[in-house]
Amino acid sequence: MQAEPKKSQAESQAVSLVGQEYEIEIGPVAHGGHCIARTSEGQVLFVRHTLPGERVVARVTEGEEGARFLRADAVEILDASKDRIEAPCPFAGPGRCGGCDWQHAKPGAQRRLKGEVVTEQLKRLAGLTPEEAGWDGTVMPAEGDKLPAGQVPSWRTRVQYAVDAEGNAGLRKHRSHEVEPIDHCMIAAEGVSELGIEQRDWIGMESVEAIAASGSQDRQVILTPRPGARLPIVELDRPVSVMRVDEKDGGVHRVHGRPFVRERADDRTHRVSSGGFWQVHPKAADTLVLAVMQGLLPRKGDMALDLYCGVGLFAGALADRVGDKGAVLGVESGKRAVEDARHNLAAFDRVRIEQGKVEAVLPRTGIDEVDLIVLDPPRAGAGRKTVEHLSSLGARRIAYVACDPAALARDLGYFRDGGYRVRTLRVFDLFPMTHHVECVAILEPAGKGA
């Protein structure tokens, strides 16, 4: 039998559908800042710049024939939702800045959409209804963010600007390295906007991160040069300290000024060095501390864990409340964050901060029993192994702070397997105009009060 000729590489590759347009009905919102629709052939589309119930023309931005799903932008609105408004930001829309997902939605509608996403993730990944999670379905705005449609809260205290080949600062387009030059970011906090980053020439830089501390007048820029480029002289509209990212080791090094900014939360000043993690909404840290402490109800003498503790925000709040007879152990993998946490909590004799990954540090501590646990893991969540360990420690209550509802839901399922149930869930809109939310789940042993 004669062998069939081999197909050429071009023939064996699937046909790209990028640029193909479909007139479609838009279905429900999905996690990630888009809605779900289907072509007449049944292929799934994840469509940005639209709202549930609309009829639109969607243009494919990623995907090929036979793919499990396509990504698309709504480029023409044929039948608009009552929740649609004209995007206040001139840089929002198909093919433009990817920083915001919901500029075209009324503020109340944005929060409803986020609530629908959290509800769907809880059901699909944890098998929980909102009622079973102790949540009334409300997504709460931060203080001062409840504004009329068309007005945008200026909340983002840390903005990373990308720089194009001509030295223009901007923001990246959605799922792209391409830079959208801008002259102003509407969601940037006043302390960031007043630096005038967008009006300066940043030739030779790859990115410029601007930080405006919400607890002080500290301002900082972190420069990432392109390979071989020299740093520019930084002359901005307000005094700033300057840091640079080393192209060899990726470390952040001081050029001039303080190597840290001072943030204020829970009536305490926190040092945050070298662009380390801090909540980007100015009200977020206090909002989350209040939610966590109200959920845990710490008692004098409690032993508590603060996992993924960063610079010690929750560890300090716990230490204040458990008193001299209590104790707090914080665990954090970042070296500079650990140094900051130890500095920030130096006044507490009964607080210890350990450096390392939670899954590695906890077993070697020998701790087999605690009263309270706070965990604020990265976007990927804590994972089954860590949750199994935490479930074995017999904590009276556990507070789980999550920036990703999918990771939260997965981990809540693992906690259920470990004998814990969700007592309450609170959801906060600390990232207006984007699809992100922050959740605080309070867990307790399943037998308690059941």
Side-chain angles (χ1 to χ4, degrees):
M1 182 180 292
Q2 187 174 2
E4 293 184 7
K6 291 184 178 179
K7 290 184 178 181
S8 69
Q9 184 177 357
E11 289 174 322
S12 64
Q13 287 179 342
V15 176
S16 172
L17 293 177
V18 173
Q20 177 76 36
E21 294 186 354
Y22 298 92
E23 185 176 317
I24 52 172
E25 299 278 353
I26 299 298
V29 65
H31 183 31
H34 48 249
C35 296
I36 299 175
R38 289 184 181 271
T39 67
S40 57
E41 294 81 23
Q43 194 163 23
V44 173
L45 287 90
F46 292 158
V47 189
R48 284 172 55 82
H49 310 293
T50 189
L51 294 167
E54 293 188 323
R55 186 164 188 83
V56 306
V57 175
R59 181 181 298 150
V60 176
T61 56
E62 289 182 47
E64 56 195 23
E65 286 185 352
R68 193 161 55 90
F69 61 85
L70 308 173
R71 296 185 185 274
D73 284 341
V75 294
E76 185 179 352
I77 310 302
L78 305 175
D79 186 8
S81 165
K82 63 179 176 55
D83 291 323
R84 176 175 284 276
I85 60 171
E86 184 175 351
C89 177
F91 305 106
R96 305 296 300 277
C97 171
C100 292
D101 306 292
W102 301 119
Q103 286 271 351
H104 58 284
K106 294 177 181 176
Q110 293 182 36
R111 293 190 285 273
R112 287 197 303 274
L113 291 170
K114 296 181 186 193
E116 290 171 16
V117 168
V118 174
T119 297
E120 191 272 336
Q121 297 295 303
L122 286 173
K123 183 65 176 175
R124 185 168 65 87
L125 297 173
L128 291 171
T129 65
E131 292 77 16
E132 289 169 332
W135 176 44
D136 64 4
T138 302
V139 178
M140 294 295 297
E143 180 186 343
D145 280 357
K146 202 166 185 180
L147 299 174
Q151 293 187 29
V152 177
S154 302
W155 57 269
R156 193 172 185 94
T157 60
R158 294 169 177 235
V159 178
Q160 183 155 359
Y161 297 89
V163 180
D164 65 18
E166 286 74 46
N168 301 305
L171 298 170
R172 296 202 186 276
K173 299 181 179 181
H174 182 62
R175 293 176 61 84
S176 171
H177 292 293
E178 192 175 345
V179 179
E180 174 80 17
I182 64 172
D183 57 25
H184 175 65
C185 176
M186 294 188 76
I187 65 172
E190 182 181 353
V192 170
S193 296
E194 68 185 13
L195 295 178
I197 299 288
E198 302 95 332
Q199 282 70 52
R200 296 296 187 272
D201 181 357
W202 299 101
I203 196 73
M205 296 300 101
E206 188 173 287
S207 68
V208 180
E209 182 176 4
I211 298 171
S214 52
S216 67
Q217 292 300 307
D218 293 349
R219 304 289 182 263
Q220 187 176 81
V221 295
I222 303 175
L223 306 178
T224 302
R226 297 180 187 274
R230 297 180 63 181
L231 287 185
I233 296 174
V234 178
E235 294 180 341
L236 296 174
D237 295 344
R238 294 290 187 274
V240 294
S241 61
V242 179
M243 311 288 288
R244 68 164 290 165
V245 176
D246 190 281
E247 64 181 86
K248 293 179 181 177
D249 63 13
V252 181
H253 305 287
R254 185 178 74 89
V255 177
H256 69 75
R258 287 194 187 99
F260 59 85
V261 296
R262 294 163 297 177
E263 299 281 3
R264 187 85 180 159
D266 196 39
D267 294 326
R268 187 178 301 103
T269 297
H270 300 75
R271 185 183 81 182
V272 184
S273 297
S274 305
F277 176 79
W278 186 263
Q279 291 285 344
V280 293
H281 193 295
K283 302 289 185 180
D286 276 324
T287 297
L288 295 174
V289 166
L290 182 61
V292 167
M293 295 304 130
Q294 286 178 339
L296 291 182
L297 297 176
R299 303 169 185 167
K300 297 295 184 184
D302 276 342
M303 166 61 191
L305 297 178
D306 180 13
L307 308 178
Y308 317 93
C309 71
V311 300
L313 173 64
F314 296 116
L318 286 166
D320 259 345
R321 291 156 176 84
V322 302
D324 294 340
K325 294 184 179 179
V328 180
L329 172 66
V331 181
E332 167 60 39
S333 62
K335 180 180 178 182
R336 281 191 167 149
V338 167
E339 291 171 356
D340 284 342
R342 289 170 177 164
H343 170 87
N344 295 334
L345 304 174
F348 296 105
D349 294 333
R350 302 274 288 166
V351 174
R352 189 168 96 248
I353 307 295
E354 294 285 346
Q355 184 187 348
K357 293 185 179 298
V358 168
E359 61 269 25
V361 171
L362 266 186
R364 70 171 184 251
T365 64
I367 293 172
D368 57 10
E369 187 177 357
V370 296
D371 297 299
L372 302 173
I373 300 172
V374 180
L375 65 157
D376 185 5
R379 192 168 299 280
R384 183 185 294 274
K385 183 178 178 181
T386 296
V387 169
E388 287 176 350
H389 190 142
L390 299 182
S391 299
S392 73
L393 299 178
R396 182 175 75 247
R397 285 193 181 174
I398 299 172
Y400 189 131
V401 182
C403 61
D404 185 272
L408 170 66
R410 282 193 296 270
D411 284 347
L412 290 182
Y414 302 148
F415 272 114
R416 181 184 55 222
D417 296 342
Y420 278 80
R421 70 179 183 96
V422 185
R423 177 184 174 88
T424 61
L425 175 68
R426 298 177 70 183
V427 184
F428 300 98
D429 186 16
L430 301 180
F431 310 90
M433 303 294 151
T434 79
H435 73 271
H436 299 288
V437 294
E438 200 82 20
C439 302
V440 177
I442 304 298
L443 299 97
E444 65 182 8
K448 186 174 181 180

